Amino acid sequence: MDWVTGPRVIDDLASTRRAAATFLEDFGAPDSASGHSDWAAKWTKIGDAHDLLGDANINKGQTDDAERAWLCALTSFELAKRLAREDAAECEKATAKIEATARKVGALGQKIERVPVKCYDQSEILTYYLSAAGRSKAPAVICISTEEETATTLLGRLLPVLVDRGISVLVVAHEDISDSSDHSDMALSCCLDYLSVRSDVDARRIGVYGDGLSAALATQLALSDRRVAAAVCDGGLWNLARMLASTQWLAGTADVSHEDVVSACRSRMIQRFKCPVLVVASSRGIVSLPEASKLLSHASPAPIDLQLAMPQTITHLEEIEDFVTFDERIFGWLEHKLLPNSAS
């Protein structure tokens, strides 16, 4: 595709997502260096075109066509948001478009429920629940947003990924979990309680996915609640780093943590996991590739299913992750672990 003249609007979700992924792969090339703001504006226009097409289709009563167009718009707006990271106003504008379009998709056939989950202290966490189409007892995943995103924004990013997955999701905002008067793992256990009693959820196949700093929250839930059947998390590396930093501060030296001591801590931590784990390493996240690789080497002799995933990062002007390919990787892994007979 010729990115110099500009990307084309394609009224097909798979093609739109391939176009976005291809754009990100090629973005570091010299002929793509027109600046983030220009490309953010172009992808916003593409999203607007899909969004308007969805509106036109809904007015004609063509709900399937409307949903497909809006899902294309969500991918385009997400890419525009990431390209506009350095421009707060443009980033906020793209986020607002994502949330507005996500609500349109949610209004179709009442596919998405706004669900208040009650915590142990009787407070409530407002979540989104999206049920898997065509399944009476589907696996489910608790998805926790980054510290920078709302639950609605994360829902907008995930809706195109979840098409035909056969997985239900409960989307939660990082802020709501981390600010809960209950401990975050207890608040997330309440989310797990809610899913476990739903008639359309298979209580034996509930996973958790934490994005950004929420990867550490996903780890806490996986370690504290044995009902978790699969976890996309940080593998405990955030808590390990904090523990070592505290030890060094108390000792007043940076030399207190010898590698053999750290290795022993990693080994003990790994042995606590009782479910399959996908550790997400990222240059922008809380887990570095070297630390994740060390964790993986410690997991090799242990009886644990632990894998490592790292998104491709485009470093032209600033770091932008290929979220399209990476999200497909994450939910393909979750589908494989929670739906063993899946072709993913």
Side-chain angles (χ1 to χ4, degrees):
M1 187 172 292
D2 187 359
W3 297 111
V4 178
T5 57
R8 296 180 290 110
V9 174
I10 307 168
D11 186 24
D12 175 78
L13 180 59
S15 298
T16 298
R17 291 182 68 76
R18 279 197 302 271
T22 301
F23 170 81
L24 286 169
E25 289 172 5
D26 296 343
F27 192 67
D31 60 359
S32 303
S34 59
H36 284 201
S37 59
D38 290 344
W39 283 109
K42 289 178 181 179
W43 277 100
T44 298
K45 288 181 180 178
I46 292 172
D48 287 337
H50 283 302
D51 196 39
L52 289 172
L53 180 59
D55 293 346
N57 285 331
I58 206 68
N59 290 334
K60 298 175 186 176
Q62 300 170 347
T63 55
D64 289 344
D65 291 340
E67 181 179 26
R68 183 171 62 249
W70 285 334
L71 292 176
C72 291
L74 286 171
T75 295
S76 303
F77 289 146
E78 179 66 30
L79 180 50
K81 175 172 73 80
R82 290 172 184 250
L83 290 166
R85 284 180 67 89
E86 297 302 309
D87 188 328
E90 288 301 315
C91 188
E92 188 175 332
K93 187 185 299 182
T95 299
K97 288 177 180 290
I98 290 170
E99 296 187 347
T101 305
R103 292 189 182 98
K104 291 180 184 179
V105 177
L108 289 178
Q110 297 182 333
K111 287 185 175 181
I112 301 171
E113 302 174 40
R114 200 69 164 120
V115 176
V117 173
K118 187 164 291 187
C119 296
Y120 297 128
D121 64 352
Q122 302 306 306
S123 63
E124 289 184 340
I125 300 170
L126 200 54
T127 70
Y128 286 102
Y129 177 75
L130 171 64
S131 61
R135 285 186 176 272
S136 57
K137 278 282 189 180
V141 178
I142 301 169
C143 301
I144 318 162
S145 76
T146 69
E147 62 280 11
E148 303 168 348
E149 291 184 320
T150 65
T152 312
T153 308
L154 177 58
L155 176 68
R157 191 184 101 211
L158 296 184
L159 280 170
V161 189
L162 293 167
V163 174
D164 299 326
R165 283 284 179 197
I167 296 177
S168 300
V169 295
L170 187 75
V171 182
V172 188
H174 173 94
E175 182 180 19
D176 292 341
I177 295 297
S178 60
D179 288 351
S180 172
S181 54
D182 281 337
H183 292 298
S184 59
D185 53 344
M186 294 177 66
L188 287 170
S189 283
C190 292
C191 293
L192 212 158
D193 291 341
Y194 167 78
L195 289 174
S196 296
V197 298
R198 282 194 66 110
S199 61
D200 58 347
V201 170
D202 185 342
R204 300 166 302 170
R205 296 184 292 169
I206 299 176
V208 62
Y209 162 44
D211 199 12
L213 279 179
S214 296
L217 301 182
T219 294
Q220 291 176 24
L221 179 64
L223 293 178
S224 64
D225 198 317
R226 295 297 179 85
R227 293 175 295 173
V228 175
V232 180
C233 60
D234 76 333
L237 289 174
W238 174 250
N239 286 334
L240 177 62
R242 289 199 306 170
M243 180 192 70
L244 293 175
S246 298
T247 303
Q248 291 170 356
W249 182 79
L250 289 171
T253 174
D255 299 327
V256 69
S257 298
H258 300 293
E259 182 57 32
D260 54 345
V261 175
V262 178
S263 296
C265 289
R266 288 196 196 98
S267 297
R268 286 196 299 270
M269 183 171 57
I270 288 171
Q271 292 171 10
R272 294 178 60 197
F273 285 103
K274 303 303 179 183
C275 69
V277 173
L278 181 67
V279 175
V280 175
S282 167
S283 57
R284 290 180 51 243
I286 61 176
V287 178
S288 68
L289 182 58
E291 280 301 308
S293 298
K294 291 176 184 177
L295 188 71
L296 189 62
S297 66
H298 280 76
S300 297
I304 178 175
D305 181 354
L306 187 146
Q307 297 179 40
L308 172 63
M310 184 172 182
Q312 177 181 347
T313 301
I314 293 83
T315 56
H316 177 65
L317 299 183
E318 70 169 81
E319 294 177 340
I320 302 177
E321 292 176 355
D322 179 0
F323 70 95
V324 178
T325 304
F326 196 50
D327 286 346
E328 295 290 341
R329 165 83 169 90
I330 286 173
F331 279 88
W333 182 87
L334 283 165
E335 189 176 24
H336 178 66
K337 296 303 177 182
L338 299 175
L339 280 169
N341 296 326
S342 168
S344 294

Short mmCIF file of all heavy atoms in Angstrom, two decimals, residues 60-85:
data_model
loop_
_atom_site.label_atom_id
_atom_site.label_comp_id
_atom_site.label_asym_id
_atom_site.label_seq_id
_atom_site.Cartn_x
_atom_site.Cartn_y
_atom_site.Cartn_z
N LYS A 60 -30.41 2.67 7.53
CA LYS A 60 -31.05 1.78 6.56
C LYS A 60 -31.50 0.47 7.19
O LYS A 60 -32.07 -0.39 6.51
CB LYS A 60 -30.06 1.45 5.43
CG LYS A 60 -29.60 2.66 4.62
CD LYS A 60 -28.54 2.21 3.62
CE LYS A 60 -27.94 3.39 2.88
NZ LYS A 60 -26.83 2.96 1.97
N GLY A 61 -31.22 0.29 8.48
CA GLY A 61 -31.57 -0.95 9.14
C GLY A 61 -30.58 -2.07 8.91
O GLY A 61 -30.86 -3.23 9.23
N GLN A 62 -29.39 -1.75 8.38
CA GLN A 62 -28.37 -2.75 8.08
C GLN A 62 -27.39 -2.82 9.26
O GLN A 62 -26.29 -2.28 9.21
CB GLN A 62 -27.65 -2.40 6.78
CG GLN A 62 -28.58 -2.35 5.58
CD GLN A 62 -27.93 -1.76 4.34
OE1 GLN A 62 -26.85 -1.15 4.42
NE2 GLN A 62 -28.58 -1.91 3.20
N THR A 63 -27.80 -3.51 10.32
CA THR A 63 -27.03 -3.49 11.56
C THR A 63 -25.67 -4.19 11.43
O THR A 63 -24.68 -3.74 12.01
CB THR A 63 -27.83 -4.13 12.71
OG1 THR A 63 -28.22 -5.45 12.32
CG2 THR A 63 -29.07 -3.31 13.03
N ASP A 64 -25.62 -5.29 10.69
CA ASP A 64 -24.35 -6.00 10.54
C ASP A 64 -23.32 -5.14 9.81
O ASP A 64 -22.15 -5.08 10.20
CB ASP A 64 -24.55 -7.31 9.78
CG ASP A 64 -25.29 -8.35 10.60
OD1 ASP A 64 -25.37 -8.17 11.84
OD2 ASP A 64 -25.79 -9.33 10.02
N ASP A 65 -23.77 -4.46 8.75
CA ASP A 65 -22.87 -3.57 8.01
C ASP A 65 -22.45 -2.39 8.87
O ASP A 65 -21.30 -1.93 8.81
CB ASP A 65 -23.56 -3.06 6.74
CG ASP A 65 -23.77 -4.16 5.71
OD1 ASP A 65 -23.08 -5.19 5.81
OD2 ASP A 65 -24.63 -4.00 4.83
N ALA A 66 -23.37 -1.90 9.69
CA ALA A 66 -23.05 -0.78 10.58
C ALA A 66 -21.99 -1.18 11.60
O ALA A 66 -21.02 -0.45 11.83
CB ALA A 66 -24.31 -0.30 11.29
N GLU A 67 -22.17 -2.36 12.18
CA GLU A 67 -21.20 -2.84 13.17
C GLU A 67 -19.82 -3.01 12.54
O GLU A 67 -18.81 -2.60 13.12
CB GLU A 67 -21.65 -4.16 13.77
CG GLU A 67 -20.68 -4.68 14.83
CD GLU A 67 -21.16 -5.98 15.46
OE1 GLU A 67 -21.92 -6.72 14.80
OE2 GLU A 67 -20.76 -6.26 16.60
N ARG A 68 -19.76 -3.57 11.34
CA ARG A 68 -18.48 -3.78 10.68
C ARG A 68 -17.79 -2.44 10.43
O ARG A 68 -16.58 -2.30 10.65
CB ARG A 68 -18.68 -4.54 9.37
CG ARG A 68 -17.37 -4.87 8.66
CD ARG A 68 -17.58 -5.80 7.49
NE ARG A 68 -18.44 -5.22 6.47
CZ ARG A 68 -19.67 -5.63 6.20
NH1 ARG A 68 -20.21 -6.63 6.88
NH2 ARG A 68 -20.39 -5.05 5.24
N ALA A 69 -18.54 -1.46 9.98
CA ALA A 69 -17.96 -0.14 9.71
C ALA A 69 -17.46 0.51 11.00
O ALA A 69 -16.37 1.12 11.02
CB ALA A 69 -19.00 0.75 9.03
N TRP A 70 -18.22 0.39 12.06
CA TRP A 70 -17.79 1.00 13.33
C TRP A 70 -16.57 0.30 13.91
O TRP A 70 -15.72 0.94 14.52
CB TRP A 70 -18.96 0.96 14.33
CG TRP A 70 -20.02 1.98 14.02
CD1 TRP A 70 -19.86 3.17 13.37
CD2 TRP A 70 -21.41 1.89 14.35
NE1 TRP A 70 -21.06 3.83 13.27
CE2 TRP A 70 -22.03 3.08 13.87
CE3 TRP A 70 -22.20 0.94 15.00
CZ2 TRP A 70 -23.39 3.32 14.03
CZ3 TRP A 70 -23.55 1.19 15.16
CH2 TRP A 70 -24.14 2.37 14.68
N LEU A 71 -16.46 -1.01 13.73
CA LEU A 71 -15.26 -1.72 14.19
C LEU A 71 -14.02 -1.26 13.41
O LEU A 71 -12.93 -1.13 13.98
CB LEU A 71 -15.45 -3.23 14.05
CG LEU A 71 -16.48 -3.86 14.98
CD1 LEU A 71 -16.65 -5.34 14.67
CD2 LEU A 71 -16.11 -3.68 16.45
N CYS A 72 -14.20 -1.01 12.12
CA CYS A 72 -13.10 -0.45 11.31
C CYS A 72 -12.72 0.93 11.84
O CYS A 72 -11.54 1.28 11.94
CB CYS A 72 -13.51 -0.34 9.84
SG CYS A 72 -13.71 -1.91 8.98
N ALA A 73 -13.74 1.72 12.21
CA ALA A 73 -13.49 3.06 12.74
C ALA A 73 -12.70 2.99 14.05
O ALA A 73 -11.77 3.78 14.28
CB ALA A 73 -14.81 3.79 12.96
N LEU A 74 -13.03 2.03 14.90
CA LEU A 74 -12.34 1.90 16.19
C LEU A 74 -10.85 1.62 16.01
O LEU A 74 -10.01 2.18 16.72
CB LEU A 74 -12.99 0.79 17.02
CG LEU A 74 -14.36 1.13 17.63
CD1 LEU A 74 -15.01 -0.11 18.22
CD2 LEU A 74 -14.23 2.22 18.68
N THR A 75 -10.51 0.74 15.06
CA THR A 75 -9.09 0.46 14.79
C THR A 75 -8.38 1.71 14.30
O THR A 75 -7.26 2.02 14.71
CB THR A 75 -8.95 -0.67 13.76
OG1 THR A 75 -9.48 -1.89 14.32
CG2 THR A 75 -7.49 -0.90 13.39
N SER A 76 -9.03 2.45 13.41
CA SER A 76 -8.43 3.67 12.85
C SER A 76 -8.24 4.74 13.92
O SER A 76 -7.19 5.39 14.00
CB SER A 76 -9.31 4.21 11.72
OG SER A 76 -9.49 3.25 10.71
N PHE A 77 -9.25 4.93 14.77
CA PHE A 77 -9.15 5.92 15.83
C PHE A 77 -8.08 5.54 16.85
O PHE A 77 -7.37 6.41 17.38
CB PHE A 77 -10.49 6.09 16.53
CG PHE A 77 -11.56 6.77 15.71
CD1 PHE A 77 -12.89 6.40 15.84
CD2 PHE A 77 -11.23 7.78 14.83
CE1 PHE A 77 -13.88 7.02 15.09
CE2 PHE A 77 -12.22 8.42 14.07
CZ PHE A 77 -13.55 8.03 14.20
N GLU A 78 -7.93 4.24 17.15
CA GLU A 78 -6.91 3.79 18.09
C GLU A 78 -5.51 4.10 17.55
O GLU A 78 -4.63 4.56 18.29
CB GLU A 78 -7.04 2.30 18.35
CG GLU A 78 -6.00 1.72 19.31
CD GLU A 78 -6.12 2.24 20.72
OE1 GLU A 78 -7.25 2.56 21.15
OE2 GLU A 78 -5.08 2.32 21.42
N LEU A 79 -5.32 3.89 16.25
CA LEU A 79 -4.03 4.20 15.64
C LEU A 79 -3.79 5.70 15.67
O LEU A 79 -2.68 6.17 15.98
CB LEU A 79 -3.99 3.67 14.21
CG LEU A 79 -2.71 3.92 13.42
CD1 LEU A 79 -1.47 3.53 14.21
CD2 LEU A 79 -2.75 3.17 12.09
N ALA A 80 -4.81 6.49 15.37
CA ALA A 80 -4.68 7.95 15.42
C ALA A 80 -4.32 8.42 16.82
O ALA A 80 -3.46 9.30 17.00
CB ALA A 80 -5.99 8.60 14.96
N LYS A 81 -4.93 7.81 17.84
CA LYS A 81 -4.63 8.18 19.24
C LYS A 81 -3.17 7.94 19.58
O LYS A 81 -2.52 8.77 20.22
CB LYS A 81 -5.54 7.39 20.18
CG LYS A 81 -5.26 7.60 21.66
CD LYS A 81 -6.31 6.94 22.52
CE LYS A 81 -6.18 5.44 22.54
NZ LYS A 81 -5.14 4.96 23.46
N ARG A 82 -2.65 6.81 19.12
CA ARG A 82 -1.25 6.49 19.43
C ARG A 82 -0.29 7.40 18.68
O ARG A 82 0.76 7.75 19.20
CB ARG A 82 -1.00 5.02 19.13
CG ARG A 82 -1.71 4.11 20.12
CD ARG A 82 -1.65 2.66 19.76
NE ARG A 82 -2.43 1.89 20.71
CZ ARG A 82 -1.93 1.05 21.62
NH1 ARG A 82 -0.63 0.86 21.69
NH2 ARG A 82 -2.71 0.40 22.45
N LEU A 83 -0.63 7.77 17.46
CA LEU A 83 0.21 8.69 16.70
C LEU A 83 0.18 10.09 17.28
O LEU A 83 1.14 10.86 17.11
CB LEU A 83 -0.25 8.72 15.24
CG LEU A 83 0.02 7.46 14.42
CD1 LEU A 83 -0.79 7.48 13.12
CD2 LEU A 83 1.50 7.32 14.11
N ALA A 84 -0.90 10.43 17.99
CA ALA A 84 -1.05 11.78 18.54
C ALA A 84 -0.63 11.88 20.00
O ALA A 84 -1.00 12.83 20.69
CB ALA A 84 -2.51 12.22 18.38
N ARG A 85 0.17 10.93 20.46
CA ARG A 85 0.53 10.87 21.88
C ARG A 85 1.12 12.17 22.41
O ARG A 85 0.88 12.56 23.55
CB ARG A 85 1.54 9.74 22.12
CG ARG A 85 0.95 8.35 22.10
CD ARG A 85 2.05 7.33 22.35
NE ARG A 85 2.57 7.44 23.70
CZ ARG A 85 2.07 6.79 24.75
NH1 ARG A 85 1.05 5.98 24.59
NH2 ARG A 85 2.60 6.94 25.94
#
